[in-house]
Structure formats: structure tokens, C-alpha cells
Amino acid sequence: QIKLYSFFRSTCSWRVRIALNLKGIKYEYLPIHLVKEGGQQNSEEYKKINPRGHVPALFIDGQTLIESLPIIEYLEETRPEIPLLPKNPRDRAVVRAICEIINAGIQPLQNLSVLQKVENELNGDKMKWAKDVIEKGFDGLEQFIANTKGKYCFGDTITMADIVLAPQAIGAFTRFGVDRTKYPNISAVMENLEKEQAFIDALPQNQPDFEK
């Protein structure tokens, strides 16, 4: 039994849900609420699963994996039938670069723990902080994918880049007030991804722990 420890709104959990869906892998969804009870991810019980106290964690093949991109890479290497990376090494590097623009350059600066610190310790406006961080990252990403995109981030085949983009873009446009019209390349890709069933099924509102 494959088990995914997830929070409906976590963009990192969301990525793994998309990857599992794209590869047709069935799994049991185990919700870990990041706010209730002081954050269930901080419990002793969950830290036995993931010592970092983060989601996602994926129990698969008799082991527990953590961190979204290594999890997706593992799925790619062990279940390559529906590929999420191109065959050419240079193309793989480009796709991974798109992933890291978001994974290293945007998401960590506006995740839950950072926003809590901005609001509670620095008395700042957490929503403005997040919007500014995302826009700065999207300014560069918009230019980068202008040279790589087709229907999707890299040509006309869905890749890891799309898996990482979709949760970030949806959160940016619907939660943090980023103006979609400022980013026509990102928006064009998203219009195509939003029609894909694997992406629809992974949306927060379609998860068992969803709450408004």
C-alpha cells in the first residue's frame, strides 16, 4: 500500500499528487494538518515518519521518502513508463532548471513557516511579502520559459516543470493576488494544464482534507 502524507494546500504535497496521478499510481491519502493542534507535522508521531516535520512524505516500496522533488525523481526512475523528464541530458537540465527557479527561488521564501514569522515576529504584511516574492520569481520565469514552452513549460509534453509550476501559479493567482495578465507565457501554459485530469484531481478542493 502506497501512502501519501499530505496537506491539501501544501504546494509540495500538491506536486507529488500530480506526479502520482500522471503515472497512474494509486495511493492512500493521509492528511497532516499544518495549522491545527500547533501543526500536526510537529507531533512526535509524525516526526518518526519525517524528522524534518514537513509534508509530503511518501511510503512506497517498503520505505518512506521525503522532499517533493526527490520523491518525483524516484517515481521517474522506478516507474519510467510515463516519463516526466525528456530523454536528452540537456533538455533534462532545462526542465530541472525551471523546477529549481520555483523550488529554490520562490516557494521557500513564501511557505507557511516564513509567512508566520513575517506576521508574528516581524509584524509584517505576510500577503504582501508573499506576493512580492512570487512576482520577483515569476518575472524571471516568464522570460525563461519564453524560449522553452510549447503547450507546456517544455515543448508539448508534460514534464516535472509543469508539476512544479501548477501549484505555485494557482496559489499565486488565487491566493496571493498576483496579476495573471502580467505573465502571458506562464498563463498560456496554465490554461493547458488546467484542462488535464491529473492536475484537476490534485487540486486542493478535491482532497479529502480540504477546508475553505
Side-chain angles (χ1 to χ4, degrees):
Q1 178 76 37
I2 298 172
K3 299 178 180 180
L4 175 65
Y5 298 85
S6 175
F7 180 56
F8 71 94
R9 197 165 52 216
S10 158
T11 56
C12 293
S13 299
W14 192 341
R15 298 169 186 172
V16 176
R17 297 196 301 261
I18 296 171
L20 290 166
N21 292 346
L22 285 168
K23 287 184 173 289
I25 300 170
K26 302 298 183 183
Y27 62 93
E28 180 183 359
Y29 188 104
L30 299 174
I32 303 295
H33 202 291
L34 301 188
V35 180
K36 286 181 180 177
E37 302 168 10
Q40 293 174 349
Q41 74 278 15
N42 298 316
S43 69
E44 289 186 18
E45 181 182 2
Y46 183 69
K47 284 194 172 181
K48 292 176 183 176
I49 297 165
N50 183 353
R52 290 204 68 217
H54 289 177
V55 292
L58 184 71
F59 180 80
I60 188 170
D61 298 337
Q63 63 193 334
T64 300
L65 304 177
I66 65 171
E67 300 296 332
S68 62
L69 291 192
I71 289 171
I72 296 169
E73 293 269 8
Y74 178 86
L75 296 176
E76 181 71 356
E77 291 174 5
T78 60
R79 293 155 174 84
E81 297 79 13
I82 300 174
L84 301 176
L85 286 169
K87 292 183 178 180
N88 181 283
R90 179 200 170 276
D91 293 346
R92 286 180 174 234
V94 172
V95 167
R96 287 179 170 127
I98 296 169
C99 292
E100 287 304 323
I101 290 172
I102 298 167
N103 187 59
I106 301 175
Q107 194 275 337
L109 299 174
Q110 51 90 89
N111 66 16
L112 178 62
S113 61
V114 172
L115 295 185
Q116 288 174 334
K117 182 174 283 289
V118 168
E119 183 177 47
N120 299 330
E121 297 184 26
L122 303 177
N123 298 315
D125 184 337
K126 67 179 182 180
M127 300 302 282
K128 182 179 185 304
W129 169 273
K131 183 173 183 286
D132 290 348
V133 165
I134 295 168
E135 287 179 338
K136 184 175 181 181
F138 273 15
D139 288 345
L141 179 61
E142 174 73 10
Q143 295 181 47
F144 189 88
I145 69 169
N147 299 315
T148 68
K149 79 175 184 68
K151 285 180 63 179
Y152 307 112
C153 283
F154 188 82
D156 294 328
T157 302
I158 291 173
T159 65
M160 277 180 60
D162 303 294
I163 291 172
V164 177
L165 172 65
Q168 186 68 60
I170 292 172
F173 299 148
T174 64
R175 186 179 175 205
F176 294 115
V178 173
D179 182 359
R180 185 170 184 152
T181 63
K182 287 177 58 179
Y183 304 102
N185 293 320
I186 292 173
S187 293
V189 170
M190 286 303 302
E191 286 176 10
N192 292 315
L193 293 177
E194 286 163 348
K195 300 172 186 174
E196 296 287 339
Q197 195 61 47
F199 287 76
I200 294 169
D201 290 344
L203 289 168
Q205 61 266 35
N206 293 327
Q207 308 317 305
D209 59 334
F210 173 70
E211 55 189 45
K212 291 184 179 180

